């Protein structure tokens, strides 16, 4: 049972435009959500997180939105840059327990 | 650089063998997690240790075991290896000090190839 789903395996966006990556979850117990970026041959790098008590968190070009009623999470990157090309994983946890990851979305920024 | 180190980077071995993967967490982090990433799959949680004690278990096979030592480094032991065990194995660490704030930081991974 995939509790965290990223239904788009890949996404291509023009440089300078907005990239929107989506994530859905099924477990209503999740109370903390994170986005990780992964380059080839490297470990996932923490990008941004959001607690279930918030609906938005912003850090520079990255904003994460949480819609608890829809059990939906999204990551917005504005403006997109070539260095943003990577695989993005969303992850969720509850009670500081293990992270449950989605299968990832490969983002390609086109110069 | 996340501050989490993993050795070795690559490991090639044969079926039936046993290997040990090592992880050193970030300075001050008490919690260590192990994840497996197989081809085209997301990261699957294997096991978590906190300050030397097992805290949570995920989809870890009985052939696999782990431990966390007094200096907080951790080892993941994989035995009776099968072809399907070929994967990237990641270690992550976190301080585990807050509620809804704990972020895990990942090491670069160990790529295991079983021939």
């Amino acid at each position: 049972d995939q509790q965290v789903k990223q239904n788009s395996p890949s996404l291509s966006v023009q440089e300078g435009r907005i990239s929107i990556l989506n994530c859905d979850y099924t477990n209503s117990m999740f109370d903390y959500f994170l986005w990780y970026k992964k380059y080839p041959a490297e470990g996932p790098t923490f990008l941004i997180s959001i607690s279930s008590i918030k609906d938005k968190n912003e850090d520079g070009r990255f904003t994460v939105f949480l819609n608890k009623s829809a059990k939906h999470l999204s990551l917005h990157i504005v403006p997109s840059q070539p260095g943003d090309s990577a695989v993005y994983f969303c992850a969720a946890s509850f009670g500081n327990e293990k992270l449950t990851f989605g299968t990832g979305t490969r983002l390609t920024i086109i110069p | 650089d996340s501050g989490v180190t993993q050795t070795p980077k690559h490991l090639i071995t044969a079926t039936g063998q046993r290997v040990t993967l090592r992880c050193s967490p970030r300075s001050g982090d008490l919690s260590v997690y192990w994840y497996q990433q197989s081809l085209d799959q997301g990261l699957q949680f294997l096991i978590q240790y906190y300050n030397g004690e097992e805290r949570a278990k995920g989809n870890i096979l009985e052939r696999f075991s782990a431990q966390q030592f007094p200096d907080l480094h951790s080892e993941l032991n994989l035995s009776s290896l099968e072809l399907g065990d070929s994967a990237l194995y990641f270690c992550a660490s976190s301080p585990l000090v807050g509620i809804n704030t704990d972020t895990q930081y990942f090491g670069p991974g160990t790529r295991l190839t079983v021939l």
Side-chain angles (χ1 to χ4, degrees):
Chain A
D1 175 32
Q2 191 71 26
Q3 295 187 64
V4 177
K5 297 177 188 176
Q6 293 177 258
N7 291 318
S8 299
S10 62
L11 176 68
S12 293
V13 174
Q14 207 77 33
E15 182 180 356
R17 303 280 194 144
I18 182 171
S19 294
I20 300 176
L21 295 99
N22 294 304
C23 178
D24 296 297
Y25 61 96
T26 57
N27 189 339
S28 57
M29 296 289 290
F30 288 140
D31 57 14
Y32 190 55
F33 303 88
L34 308 90
W35 284 93
Y36 283 85
K37 179 166 78 172
K38 187 180 181 304
Y39 293 119
E42 293 184 14
T45 304
F46 170 71
L47 202 53
I48 192 168
S49 63
I50 188 166
S51 161
S52 60
I53 61 173
K54 294 184 172 183
D55 54 20
K56 176 182 172 182
N57 189 25
E58 206 168 338
D59 183 2
R61 297 186 298 113
F62 302 91
T63 303
V64 56
F65 295 93
L66 176 61
N67 182 334
K68 287 186 290 293
S69 60
K71 295 193 181 68
H72 180 80
L73 191 69
S74 64
L75 174 69
H76 292 210
I77 306 173
V78 184
S80 299
Q81 299 174 353
D84 296 330
S85 294
V87 177
Y88 289 79
F89 291 96
C90 69
S93 71
F94 63 91
N96 284 334
E97 297 299 333
K98 67 181 178 75
L99 289 177
T100 299
F101 280 86
T103 50
T105 296
R106 182 178 301 277
L107 176 64
T108 302
I109 305 302
I110 305 163
Chain B
D1 183 0
S2 67
V4 178
T5 60
Q6 289 186 248
T7 56
K9 282 182 96 92
H10 303 277
L11 201 46
I12 301 174
T13 188
T15 54
Q17 295 297 305
R18 173 189 166 96
V19 297
T20 297
L21 313 184
R22 184 188 166 104
C23 168
S24 292
R26 293 187 323 156
S27 177
D29 283 358
L30 299 179
S31 200
V32 170
Y33 309 77
W34 286 97
Y35 292 86
Q36 179 193 57
Q37 185 183 22
S38 302
L39 194 64
D40 293 334
Q41 301 248 339
L43 286 88
Q44 300 292 321
F45 169 72
L46 295 178
I47 197 164
Q48 177 196 4
Y49 277 81
Y50 176 75
N51 204 18
E53 300 287 327
E54 182 183 305
R55 183 179 169 95
K57 224 167 183 173
N59 302 323
I60 188 165
L61 299 171
E62 282 192 17
R63 300 184 285 108
F64 296 1
S65 65
Q67 56 185 135
Q68 186 179 28
F69 295 86
D71 67 352
L72 300 177
H73 91 271
S74 177
E75 292 181 357
L76 179 67
N77 300 296
L78 316 175
S79 61
S80 303
L81 284 167
E82 302 175 0
L83 295 177
D85 298 328
S86 296
L88 269 169
Y89 291 85
F90 290 104
C91 164
S93 76
S94 71
L96 205 66
V97 293
I99 301 297
N100 297 334
T101 61
D102 206 53
T103 297
Q104 295 179 26
Y105 295 88
F106 283 76
T110 293
R111 180 174 291 281
L112 173 66
T113 302
V114 182
L115 300 176

